[in-house]
Amino acid sequence: ALEARAREGGKWTLLVNEAEKFAPEVEELRELFDFLPRWRLDDVMVSYAPPGGSIGAHIDNYDVFLLQGLGERRWEIEARPRDAAAERLHAGLDVRVLADFSSDQASTLQPGDALYLPPRYAHCVTSTDEQCLSYSIGFRAPTDAELVRSFVEHSAASLASDALWA
């Protein structure tokens, strides 16, 4: 799916979700993460933006490994994860952009650099280059309840339907 998302001032970012389905070269990036269980892999998203392009400050609910392809991006990140209750959003937007954001740390990624971002860390990313292309490899971060529910359902499926507990 292609999406162009703009923030105030008309600075935009083009996002291509599930890019690995369209380009075999992008699929190869997933091989870098064979150390994680395959079921956790969500997708590879490719983003392109002109100088100043950004979707604004936001929070992701999954583990993300970010690889900088072309150009540079400035990353601003809060030092602690936020609870969902602390996620005040700008009203009327198609994307979940935070109404308040205060960066505790910042760095600029250059081609070949990588960054790991755990779930629920607020961040704002801005292109600082004419040719800015980044790859985000997202991994599902299920809740404890989802993991337990899934395990129980998987275990129950292997039991005989007429077996009684004794």
Side-chain angles (χ1 to χ4, degrees):
L2 292 174
E3 296 179 56
R5 295 183 177 172
R7 65 178 181 139
E8 293 177 29
K11 299 297 183 179
W12 54 271
T13 295
L14 175 69
L15 304 173
V16 181
N17 294 309
E18 299 181 331
E20 72 279 4
K21 293 181 179 178
F22 306 108
E25 302 83 8
V26 174
E27 171 68 28
E28 292 174 13
L29 289 176
R30 294 165 63 157
E31 295 173 13
L32 297 172
F33 302 94
D34 284 344
F35 61 92
L36 291 169
R38 188 77 176 169
W39 65 267
R40 289 202 55 213
L41 181 63
D42 188 25
D43 76 335
V44 179
M45 182 180 69
V46 177
S47 59
Y48 173 83
S54 175
I55 62 169
H58 63 283
I59 295 173
D60 296 318
N61 289 317
Y62 45 86
D63 290 294
V64 183
F65 290 88
L66 302 131
L67 305 176
Q68 187 62 34
L70 299 174
E72 297 180 349
R73 281 208 178 165
R74 179 169 172 77
W75 285 81
E76 297 178 80
I77 305 168
E78 290 184 351
R80 292 177 177 53
R82 282 197 197 190
D83 292 331
E87 191 176 340
R88 271 189 342 102
L89 304 174
H90 282 287
L93 299 178
D94 292 335
V95 63
R96 300 173 56 86
V97 176
L98 296 171
D100 60 324
F101 175 74
S102 180
S103 172
D104 295 307
Q105 52 190 310
S107 63
T108 299
L109 294 187
Q110 298 178 347
D113 287 347
L115 174 70
Y116 166 67
L117 193 62
R120 308 282 322 151
Y121 277 78
H123 56 283
C124 187
V125 188
T126 307
S127 169
T128 60
D129 205 300
E130 284 295 328
Q131 298 292 323
C132 188
L133 189 68
S134 300
Y135 302 88
S136 301
I137 299 90
F139 290 86
R140 293 176 189 93
T143 65
D144 292 342
E146 289 170 327
L147 282 175
V148 169
R149 188 178 309 111
S150 179
F151 175 73
V152 169
E153 289 171 359
H154 173 75
S155 298
S158 65
L159 299 173
S161 61
D162 60 348
L164 299 176
W165 184 81

